Amino acid sequence: MRPPIRTPFPFSKLRPAAAAAAPRLPKDDDENFLATLNDVARCSQNWSIALESPSISTRLSPRHIECFILQNLHHSRLALRFFNFLGLHKNFRHSTASFCLLVHSLVQSKLYWPATSLLQTLLQREENPGFVFQIFFDSYKRSDFCSAYGFDLLVQSYVQSRRVLDSVVVVKLMKECGLLPEVRTMSAVLNGLIRVRRFEMVLPLFDEMLVNSRLVADVYIYAAVIRSLCELKDYDRAKEMVSCIEKNEGCKLNVVIYNVLIHGLCKGGRAWEAVEIKNSLGFKGMRADVVTYCTLVLGLCRVDEFGFARDLVNEMVECGIVPSEEALSSVVDGIRRKGEFGNAYDLIHKVEKLGGMPNLYVCNAMIHSLCKDENFQKAELLFMKMVKKGLIINEVSYNIMINSFCKRGKLDKAITVLGKMLSAGIKPTVYTYNMLISGQCKLGKLNAAETLFLEMSEKGLSPTVVTYTSLIGGYCKQKEMDKAFQLYHEMTGKGISPNIHTYTALIYGLCQANMMAEACNMLNKMSEMNVAPNEVTYNVLIEGNCKVGNVARAFELFDEMSKKGLAPDTFTYRPLISGLCSTGRLSEAKEFMDGLQKEHHKLDELCYSALLHGYCKGGRLTDALSACDEMRERGLNMDLICYAIIIQGILEQKDSTLLIRILKEIHDRGLRPDNYIYTSIIDKYGKTGNLALAMAHWDLMVSEGFGPNVVTYTVMINSLCKEGFVRKAEVLLKEMFISGIIPNEITHGCFLDHLTGEGNMEEAIRLHRAMLRGSLASTVTYNMLIRGFCKLGQIQEASEILVEMSNNGISPDCISYSTIVYEYCRRGNLQGALSLWESMLNKDIKPDAVAYNLLVHSCCAAGEFNKAFEFHHNMVKRGLKLTRATHAYLTQQACVQGQGSSLLSRLQSPTNGDFLHS
């Protein structure tokens, strides 16, 4: 409930502002002018034409708009439309007072969304918050508005605009003026301060605004204060705050407050204090939840108390609470690293019964440790559990076991594991064979190694330098130098010759395949062969390492080439800058560039384009624009690639004014935006429903001499169809044919999607037949037809489309089937749905969670509970989850039918993490 407003006392601490002062009383001619404005706003004449009249355009000022708004306080929608028209179409700059008056007017009319939007526009002016508040407050007083909720919207807008510190200024000024923000507004400000990590400001603001105030803090405000105190490591005051809340009958306590305190203590390494708080919850009438337990488990693992963390996990299991993957993985891995492999495995086994499982990384590490401990039976059992729980078993899991056997010289068992790998349908990689060949060579079994080598070739795997080195090393150990050199000549005969160009090409190929270990081995081989790498070799390696995210190794190579007297160039710098940006290290990328500039190394547009891309991708448009200014200062000209990157960033920020400025700048520099740039702009505006701006840029593109291509036409047609302007879309389609541009399947799909959505299946089928003749039909377009028929209840026609789809060699997917299954279920024809479901499974199409939830719900509705639970069991096996609604319905129907005790025992009690969000 919004707080009542106290009579404001004099606003003595703020200086009067001319912009906020009340407008002078209008003279007679001003009264006539305002009357004319009101007539224009209310008449049916086109506003643009009416406002072009010299009698209006030469006199209209912000003061007149303020008076207009005051005269139309009870017609706020009209005032808003007129206000927006002037700003958007006449480039009229409204006064801050006009914004404030209109916001208050909209709030009185309970038009909160437009009021918020207006405030967001006002805040883009970057005016001083004190100045804005003064005018906002004066505007509030000028017409005795009855609601002060506009002040809350102002504060919330500052928070949403990431100007939290400005929001603090406003709430303090509100209090000085006798206005109190709502509790949720204060909560937004406090949590905003936390997001920007200004924890030191939270408690003082809480004391100032809520202590001895009519505002009653809720649990979220208290949680924010406690979290801030914990972040400041003031744990004693955090505990005192919790004690005060416990004594405060006005705030309803729940476990959330304690979880925040527990998290803070654990983060600060005071896990034992957190455990004590958890143990005291029972005395307070509360129970620890999954968040409480998982937070404690992670906190204990952080201080290496893995034994106690394990005890907590056991306690969770006894309470039927499934630990999160992160918590379970942390404690299992901690116990494993301490060498307690048996205890770690037992914990996995215990939690697995409730449906929990560590992540793939920890499971693979456990398999490795168990193999290293020669506990192969448990390693294989763990592997089977991984399969059962739906973990994606990759070649790494097999390779860990194979590697362990090879290192111990147990090659027969390694070959057995390889056989299981092949039986599971997982193709062995070069790395797998390299381990086996290396193992055989170490034992001197070179015949077996040769057999594996030949097998690699038969499977289409190309031997690498590691493979050859292993074999050559094996033959050298056996002193069979002829065979060693035979392999060497075979290697060189395949193009792996010891010269700079060949090595550089091989390194490049390996880098492109992300085989960086092999690429580094090649570099070492070059040194052994006295073949000195050059700048290109290092550039390839540096780019390859950056591509896979190994920026640290890339900088090692950069230092190494400098020490060898090789001169890095822009082809060296650019991948390093891109690598830092792609891993989120934008500040380091900028520092690296600044360091190069200080050392007088030349950077070009390519280097800056990498930085610009990183900034824009990270949402840091302001930094990107600053980098553009820096380019100009250093004598570098922005090219179209740089501008295209900047424009994409502007489009993401939805800053139309800045976009126009950048386009003008491009023209002023004698450049012309190309087709790619204009298509990006048209697509962005079209997707947001702003067809006017999309078409305006379309016309601008054409006027610049750039004809739209198939992509440009398609994005425009899609936007028109989505907004219902199909006739205009058809005109564009005809224009495509006239221009000699052939529409593709996506272009036609835009029309097909519209027709099926409107239920015009006759036209949709006609279009579909034409697409078939042009080989443009796809699974997506067929699904549109199926959806259209089902929407009209024509299930037979939908089924025929499904058959036709397969007959035409186009594979149906889960959506194809589940759409028809849904229609069967909606009609109550469960048998029809089940029959189609079996058909889908027979075609090896995997149902998704949505399809499963649909069928479980329908089975319950039909009283087929055993069938419903059977589907639920299959879902669990595949790692899929019920929605909350389906779970609740399943439970309710079982109870209604009197089968709750027998059936619900088969349904595990889920926690929050077990639900699919519907």
Side-chain angles (χ1 to χ4, degrees):
M1 186 177 73
R2 301 190 183 101
I5 305 303
R6 295 185 292 183
T7 303
F9 56 79
F11 199 3
S12 59
K13 293 195 177 183
L14 292 177
R15 294 177 298 172
R24 298 187 303 273
L25 291 173
K27 301 176 183 178
D28 290 341
D29 56 345
D30 276 343
E31 289 179 354
N32 294 333
F33 183 72
L34 285 170
T36 301
L37 277 184
N38 276 286
D39 290 341
V40 168
R42 287 172 167 77
C43 73
S44 59
Q45 183 182 4
N46 183 285
W47 283 354
S48 184
I49 297 174
L51 292 172
E52 286 177 359
S53 170
S55 63
I56 296 178
S57 61
T58 58
R59 292 188 58 192
L60 187 62
S61 69
R63 178 173 60 84
H64 293 123
I65 301 303
E66 293 173 28
C67 293
F68 175 81
I69 295 170
L70 286 169
Q71 290 178 359
N72 289 277
L73 293 178
H74 299 294
H75 302 282
S76 54
R77 289 183 186 273
L78 174 65
L80 178 63
R81 286 177 53 221
F82 195 65
F83 181 93
N84 285 337
F85 182 84
L86 287 172
L88 293 174
H89 299 283
K90 296 298 178 181
N91 293 323
F92 186 85
R93 182 171 176 81
H94 293 288
S95 68
T96 302
S98 295
F99 275 94
C100 296
L101 286 167
L102 186 51
V103 168
H104 284 305
S105 175
L106 291 167
V107 168
Q108 308 314 304
S109 302
K110 298 184 179 180
L111 298 173
Y112 304 123
W113 186 87
T116 300
S117 179
L118 204 60
L119 283 169
Q120 293 288 351
T121 303
L122 173 61
L123 297 191
Q124 289 177 6
R125 294 187 172 189
E126 300 290 339
E127 294 176 325
N128 183 279
F131 172 75
V132 172
F133 178 81
Q134 178 178 354
I135 298 177
F136 202 77
F137 184 72
D138 286 347
S139 300
Y140 172 71
K141 294 192 296 180
R142 278 163 64 176
S143 289
D144 296 325
F145 291 106
C146 62
S147 173
Y149 187 57
F151 291 93
D152 286 277
L153 292 182
L154 176 62
V155 175
Q156 292 168 18
S157 295
Y158 272 116
V159 175
Q160 291 166 7
S161 300
R162 299 182 181 180
R163 295 172 62 181
V164 185
L165 299 182
D166 291 344
S167 74
V168 174
V169 173
V170 175
V171 294
K172 289 184 177 181
L173 290 173
M174 285 178 66
K175 187 176 182 183
E176 289 183 18
C177 295
L179 301 170
L180 288 178
E182 287 191 347
V183 172
R184 63 174 177 174
T185 302
M186 279 305 305
S187 178
V189 174
L190 294 176
N191 282 287
L193 288 171
I194 288 174
R195 281 195 296 274
V196 297
R197 303 192 67 78
R198 295 301 299 268
F199 308 112
E200 76 283 358
M201 295 179 64
V202 173
L203 184 59
L205 184 62
F206 171 82
D207 290 338
E208 182 177 345
M209 298 299 297
L210 286 103
V211 175
N212 297 323
S213 166
R214 288 184 290 107
L215 280 179
V216 179
D218 62 9
V219 66
Y220 300 105
I221 288 181
Y222 282 122
V225 176
I226 292 168
R227 180 181 172 186
S228 299
L229 290 170
C230 289
E231 290 288 349
L232 295 170
K233 302 189 184 305
D234 196 345
Y235 304 110
D236 292 335
R237 291 186 71 183
K239 291 180 181 179
E240 290 174 8
M241 178 65 73
V242 173
S243 298
C244 291
I245 301 170
E246 291 173 341
K247 297 173 184 176
N248 182 4
E249 296 180 358
C251 179
K252 187 177 180 181
L253 263 176
N254 59 29
V255 75
V256 172
I257 291 289
Y258 296 98
N259 284 346
V260 172
L261 179 58
I262 287 170
H263 178 269
L265 291 168
C266 288
K267 188 176 180 181
R270 301 170 68 161
W272 289 117
E273 295 177 46
V275 171
E276 291 176 4
I277 292 172
K278 173 261 177 188
N279 292 337
S280 69
L281 290 178
F283 300 104
K284 297 178 174 66
M286 284 175 275
R287 296 181 60 185
D289 60 11
V290 65
V291 176
T292 318
Y293 277 108
C294 290
T295 303
L296 284 170
V297 169
L298 291 169
L300 288 167
C301 289
R302 193 175 286 117
V303 293
D304 293 339
E305 293 288 356
F306 301 108
F308 291 100
R310 179 192 60 200
D311 294 340
L312 273 180
V313 172
N314 287 329
E315 186 178 324
M316 291 177 73
V317 172
E318 291 173 3
C319 296
I321 300 174
V322 183
S324 67
E325 182 184 275
E326 181 187 10
L328 181 59
S329 298
S330 295
V331 66
V332 167
D333 199 47
I335 296 171
R336 179 193 64 81
R337 284 188 281 108
K338 290 180 68 176
E340 300 178 16
F341 309 133
N343 289 335
Y345 175 84
D346 292 341
L347 191 62
I348 293 175
H349 178 69
K350 187 177 293 185
V351 177
E352 181 262 338
K353 292 180 180 179
L354 289 180
M357 200 72 181
N359 60 39
L360 182 63
Y361 170 81
V362 172
C363 286
N364 282 343
M366 271 299 302
I367 292 176
H368 174 74
S369 297
L370 290 168
C371 288
K372 188 176 180 180
D373 198 42
E374 299 188 357
N375 199 333
F376 305 114
Q377 183 179 3
K378 285 186 176 181
E380 292 178 3
L381 287 173
L382 177 56
F383 180 82
M384 293 171 61
K385 293 179 190 294
M386 292 166 65
V387 175
K388 181 180 178 183
K389 292 302 176 185
L391 289 180
I392 301 174
I393 306 301
N394 56 20
E395 68 274 8
V396 175
S397 305
Y398 285 106
N399 286 342
I400 289 170
M401 297 185 72
I402 290 172
N403 188 47
S404 179
F405 284 127
C406 288
K407 285 185 175 180
R408 288 172 173 77
K410 299 180 179 180
L411 271 302
D412 292 338
K413 291 189 176 181
I415 295 296
T416 301
V417 175
L418 176 64
K420 292 182 178 181
M421 185 177 183
L422 293 167
S423 298
I426 298 177
K427 295 180 180 179
T429 63
V430 172
Y431 177 67
T432 311
Y433 278 102
N434 282 348
M435 287 188 297
L436 291 166
I437 290 171
S438 177
Q440 299 285 14
C441 289
K442 286 179 180 179
L443 293 177
K445 298 181 178 180
L446 296 177
N447 289 335
E450 280 187 347
T451 300
L452 289 168
F453 181 75
L454 293 173
E455 190 177 306
M456 284 180 67
S457 300
E458 291 172 0
K459 292 184 180 296
L461 298 172
S462 300
T464 67
V465 63
V466 175
T467 318
Y468 281 106
T469 300
S470 295
L471 286 166
I472 291 171
Y475 282 116
C476 287
K477 286 180 182 179
Q478 295 292 324
K479 299 182 179 181
E480 296 184 28
M481 300 306 295
D482 291 340
K483 288 189 176 181
F485 278 107
Q486 181 182 340
L487 283 171
Y488 173 79
H489 292 305
E490 179 181 328
M491 178 174 65
T492 55
K494 291 181 179 179
I496 313 175
S497 55
N499 66 68
I500 180 62
H501 301 293
T502 306
Y503 278 116
T504 300
L506 287 169
I507 290 173
Y508 175 79
L510 291 166
C511 288
Q512 288 298 101
N514 295 332
M515 300 170 62
M516 299 311 303
E518 288 83 306
C520 288
N521 285 338
M522 274 292 197
L523 185 65
N524 295 333
K525 188 72 174 176
M526 291 174 67
S527 298
E528 295 172 8
M529 298 295 294
N530 294 320
V531 179
N534 61 11
E535 289 88 349
V536 178
T537 314
Y538 275 102
N539 287 347
V540 169
L541 275 167
I542 287 170
E543 185 170 11
N545 278 286
C546 289
K547 181 182 174 184
V548 299
N550 195 351
V551 183
R553 175 58 181 158
F555 272 97
E556 290 175 4
L557 291 166
F558 174 71
D559 294 335
E560 185 176 315
M561 70 182 294
S562 300
K563 291 177 182 178
K564 290 184 177 181
L566 299 174
D569 55 17
T570 54
F571 292 99
T572 316
Y573 306 139
R574 188 179 185 278
L576 290 168
I577 296 167
S578 295
L580 289 169
C581 291
S582 65
T583 54
R585 298 157 64 181
L586 296 171
S587 299
E588 292 182 48
K590 184 63 173 64
E591 291 173 6
F592 175 62
M593 293 179 67
D594 291 341
L596 292 173
Q597 290 284 357
K598 288 179 181 178
E599 296 174 9
H600 305 291
H601 293 290
K602 184 179 178 181
L603 298 176
D604 62 6
E605 294 84 356
L606 287 174
C607 297
Y608 273 96
S609 68
L611 182 65
L612 293 177
H613 184 267
Y615 277 141
C616 291
K617 187 177 180 182
R620 295 171 59 173
L621 180 59
T622 303
D623 291 331
L625 294 172
S626 297
C628 293
D629 295 336
E630 183 177 301
M631 285 182 68
R632 299 184 189 97
E633 293 172 3
R634 292 175 174 174
L636 292 174
N637 292 321
M638 293 269 290
D639 57 16
L640 280 180
I641 294 175
C642 293
Y643 276 117
I645 294 169
I646 288 294
I647 287 173
Q648 194 62 40
I650 293 171
L651 291 172
E652 290 298 324
Q653 298 290 332
K654 302 178 181 178
D655 193 336
S656 300
T657 304
L658 182 57
L659 176 61
I660 293 170
R661 183 170 72 79
I662 292 296
L663 288 174
K664 183 177 182 301
E665 179 180 317
I666 295 174
H667 284 281
D668 292 343
R669 291 195 53 245
L671 300 173
R672 290 195 304 165
D674 59 14
N675 194 287
Y676 173 82
I677 290 177
Y678 277 118
T679 300
S680 299
I681 296 172
I682 292 166
D683 184 39
K684 193 67 177 180
Y685 281 129
K687 285 179 178 177
T688 57
N690 197 335
L691 293 179
L693 279 176
M695 289 303 299
H697 284 89
W698 177 288
D699 294 337
L700 185 60
M701 177 182 68
V702 174
S703 69
E704 290 286 337
F706 291 101
N709 58 23
V710 65
V711 179
T712 318
Y713 273 109
T714 300
V715 300
M716 195 68 236
I717 286 171
N718 182 58
S719 299
L720 289 168
C721 288
K722 293 292 185 186
E723 295 298 320
F725 299 107
V726 184
R727 296 302 177 195
K728 292 184 178 180
E730 290 173 348
V731 170
L732 281 184
L733 184 65
K734 292 177 182 177
E735 187 180 304
M736 287 182 73
F737 286 109
I738 294 172
S739 302
I741 299 173
I742 307 301
N744 58 25
E745 66 272 20
I746 302 175
T747 316
H748 289 293
C750 298
F751 291 98
L752 189 64
D753 183 61
H754 175 76
L755 291 171
T756 56
E758 293 291 316
N760 191 349
M761 297 308 297
E762 184 176 348
E763 285 295 323
I765 288 295
R766 189 174 292 113
L767 175 58
H768 168 65
R769 300 300 178 207
M771 292 176 69
L772 279 175
R773 289 193 293 273
S775 301
L776 296 174
S778 65
T779 302
V780 174
T781 57
Y782 268 105
N783 286 347
M784 291 177 185
L785 290 172
I786 292 171
R787 179 199 64 193
F789 279 122
C790 287
K791 187 177 179 181
L792 296 175
Q794 299 176 8
I795 197 167
Q796 181 60 37
E797 288 80 354
S799 300
E800 290 172 1
I801 288 293
L802 186 63
V803 174
E804 177 193 311
M805 190 175 179
S806 299
N807 292 340
N808 286 332
I810 297 175
S811 301
D813 60 11
C814 177
I815 297 174
S816 313
Y817 281 94
S818 59
T819 304
I820 304 177
V821 168
Y822 171 76
E823 184 60 22
Y824 273 124
C825 293
R826 192 179 67 81
R827 293 182 172 194
N829 187 353
L830 181 60
Q831 290 305 315
L834 293 176
S835 176
L836 192 60
W837 181 275
E838 288 301 319
S839 176
M840 174 174 64
L841 296 181
N842 290 336
K843 292 183 181 296
D844 202 29
I845 297 173
K846 305 297 183 186
D848 58 16
V850 176
Y852 268 115
N853 274 276
L854 167 65
L855 219 50
V856 170
H857 190 281
S858 299
C859 287
C860 289
E864 295 287 346
F865 297 108
N866 288 327
K867 200 70 179 174
F869 278 98
E870 180 182 339
F871 282 120
H872 174 256
H873 178 68
N874 291 336
M875 286 183 72
V876 173
K877 286 176 64 177
R878 292 196 52 210
L880 303 176
K881 302 173 182 178
L882 291 174
T883 62
R884 292 182 181 276
T886 306
H887 181 272
Y889 188 71
L890 183 60
T891 306
Q892 177 190 14
Q893 292 300 310
C895 293
V896 168
Q897 297 296 326
Q899 302 183 44
S901 58
S902 60
L903 292 178
L904 292 181
S905 60
R906 297 164 56 186
L907 185 64
Q908 295 177 353
S909 176
T911 61
N912 290 338
D914 291 319
F915 288 118
L916 173 73
H917 294 290
S918 52

